[in-house]
Amino acid sequence: MIAIPTKSEKECSLLVDGLRILAWQAYKAEYKPAEGQKKLEGLKLYEVFSKEWENHEIHKMDLPKVQKLVKSLGYSEDEIKEIRQDYYSRKSSYNNGNGSQYTESNSSTDQPAF
């Protein structure tokens, strides 16, 4: 079945994706393995983040609730969209620059691994 998102659904999706990028950057910067665990990097760390992200309450929110969350975090909608745009611009430049996809060896970048 073909589904065409409403303008509201599309806007909500853009904001949620921007918040995912922001959350990933914070998660990666703050990550510390539990005592006795091996340090995770790159794709392996993103897999852990992704599981937590999938369970986040944001996925049950409609546009007004996401907009309220953005505001409560101290951001404007435009700032979140700019974070998203900057991320995808950097990712595109990176991928076009060397012709390869993100790998664990590139885990020092701010790029989510996917």
Side-chain angles (χ1 to χ4, degrees):
M1 182 171 119
I2 296 174
I4 301 172
T6 65
K7 190 173 182 178
S8 176
E9 290 168 334
K10 180 69 174 169
E11 183 75 10
C12 187
S13 177
L14 291 173
L15 291 173
V16 168
D17 192 43
L19 290 170
R20 176 193 57 82
I21 292 164
L22 191 64
W24 164 242
Q25 291 169 342
Y27 190 90
K28 187 169 63 168
E30 296 170 5
Y31 168 75
K32 295 192 181 11
E35 190 172 324
Q37 284 188 334
K38 181 181 173 186
K39 183 175 180 175
L40 300 175
E41 294 179 326
L43 292 172
K44 295 202 182 292
L45 182 58
Y46 190 79
E47 286 175 18
V48 174
F49 166 80
S50 181
K51 287 178 186 172
E52 289 186 43
W53 179 251
E54 289 171 14
N55 292 319
H56 193 278
E57 65 187 276
I58 198 167
H59 301 292
K60 297 174 187 158
M61 295 179 182
D62 59 6
L63 180 57
K65 289 180 182 174
V66 172
Q67 289 169 322
K68 185 176 179 181
L69 174 62
V70 167
K71 188 174 182 178
S72 75
L73 294 170
Y75 293 94
S76 71
E77 292 176 47
D78 288 341
E79 287 173 313
I80 296 299
K81 290 176 190 175
E82 187 175 330
I83 288 167
R84 183 182 180 278
Q85 179 63 41
D86 289 349
Y87 160 71
Y88 285 112
S89 291
R90 283 192 323 262
K91 184 175 180 181
S92 177
S93 295
Y94 175 80
N95 287 340
N96 290 336
N98 69 13
S100 67
Q101 293 294 322
Y102 181 89
T103 63
E104 283 189 23
S105 63
N106 302 112
S107 63
S108 64
T109 67
D110 282 337
Q111 312 246 348
F114 68 84

